[in-house]
Amino acid sequence: MSELKRVTQEELKVILDSHKRWLETRCSLAPEGACADLSGTDLSHANLKGADLRFANIQGANLSMADLQSSKLNYANLAYANLERTDLIGADLCHANLIEAILARADLREADLKGAKLVGADLSNVHLVGASLRESNLFGAILTDALIISANLQGAEMSGAYLKNADCYGANLQEANLTGTILKGAVLTDVNFKRTNLSHAVMRGADLQGADIEGANLFGADLSGVDIPKSKKKQRDGKRRAKAL
């Protein structure tokens, strides 16, 4: 494997300025600047707070422990990049390519990852509290011990993902596909599983207290040691019947 090229803060400023001109003129007949190509570079510990890197090529780069808080990375190519322990609080990663990226222990609180490609990505111990991952692709992703509290994963593709011991308290997983997903020991309290596909999921020992499973597909799921909650509809019906007595 070739050695990554170290980019200084001064060089980075030049690249970002050129990228900014390209973004502003890319739809014109004579675009200026150039789309940032930071693929295969070493940007560990770099200060990129608030940077606009939409559409940039950052494939295979090392961004570990970099500051990317509130940055714009829409449609950026971050496949195979190392973002371990990176600060991505409030970052915009809509439709970004993060296939097989390393995001272990990254801070993605309140980040927007709608439509992002996270196939095979390592998100172990990641901080996704309040993040949006609507319609994202997390096929085969690793989310062991991840904090996914109050995150929005509606319509996400999560089949074959590994969420052992993940804390998903209050998360929205409505209409997501969790076929064959490992949820062993996960905290699923107050999770919205409406019309979610949980067929063949392994949920052994998971905490489903207060979860809404109305219309969920649990065919072939391993629910050993799990108390299946009544659907919200059944709970409401039960309350109405009790009042009528």
Side-chain angles (χ1 to χ4, degrees):
M1 185 177 176
S2 58
E3 187 176 343
L4 299 180
K5 178 191 174 185
R6 182 66 194 175
V7 178
T8 65
Q9 202 68 39
E10 292 73 22
E11 290 172 327
L12 195 54
K13 185 180 184 305
V14 173
I15 293 169
L16 290 174
D17 286 344
S18 178
H19 185 70
K20 182 181 178 181
R21 294 197 305 276
W22 177 80
L23 285 171
E24 291 170 346
T25 62
R26 69 187 183 92
C27 294
S28 67
L29 294 174
E32 299 176 14
C35 181
D37 186 354
L38 292 161
S39 58
T41 57
D42 183 358
L43 294 162
S44 56
H45 301 277
N47 181 8
L48 286 159
K49 186 174 182 178
D52 191 343
L53 284 161
R54 288 172 292 163
F55 303 99
N57 181 14
I58 319 175
Q59 180 172 319
N62 180 10
L63 287 151
S64 58
M65 291 182 276
D67 185 353
L68 281 157
Q69 190 174 151
S70 302
S71 58
K72 294 178 182 177
L73 290 154
N74 322 45
Y75 296 96
N77 181 8
L78 288 152
Y80 314 108
N82 182 359
L83 293 132
E84 186 169 3
R85 295 179 184 272
T86 300
D87 184 349
L88 287 153
I89 295 173
D92 190 343
L93 288 143
C94 287
H95 304 286
N97 180 0
L98 289 153
I99 292 173
E100 294 189 28
I102 300 171
L103 289 143
R105 299 183 188 280
D107 195 339
L108 284 150
R109 282 176 290 170
E110 305 296 334
D112 192 349
L113 292 109
K114 181 181 178 181
K117 298 180 182 70
L118 290 146
V119 176
D122 181 358
L123 293 123
S124 51
N125 296 99
V126 75
H127 204 328
L128 283 164
V129 176
S132 174
L133 292 100
R134 289 191 62 175
E135 300 168 5
S136 58
N137 191 342
L138 288 145
F139 177 85
I142 300 168
L143 292 114
T144 310
D145 297 305
L147 288 176
I148 314 175
I149 299 167
S150 300
N152 186 357
L153 290 120
Q154 184 171 349
E157 170 57 64
M158 299 178 72
S159 53
Y162 199 78
L163 285 88
K164 184 179 179 182
N165 298 326
D167 189 345
C168 305
Y169 179 89
N172 180 13
L173 285 154
Q174 182 174 329
E175 298 171 345
N177 182 14
L178 281 80
T179 303
T181 297
I182 306 299
L183 291 153
K184 185 178 178 182
V187 176
L188 303 171
T189 308
D190 291 339
V191 169
N192 180 1
F193 281 122
K194 279 186 178 180
R195 298 181 295 282
T196 301
N197 187 357
L198 289 157
S199 60
H200 302 287
V202 178
M203 304 171 76
R204 198 177 318 140
D207 182 0
L208 278 161
Q209 184 179 351
D212 189 347
I213 59 168
E214 186 177 337
N217 179 6
L218 291 162
F219 177 79
D222 182 351
L223 296 158
S224 306
V226 177
D227 289 328
I228 308 299
K230 294 179 181 179
S231 71
K232 298 293 183 182
K233 182 177 183 299
K234 288 182 178 179
Q235 291 174 14
R236 289 194 298 269
D237 291 345
K239 288 178 181 177
R240 280 197 289 266
R241 284 197 295 270
K243 286 180 179 179
L245 293 176

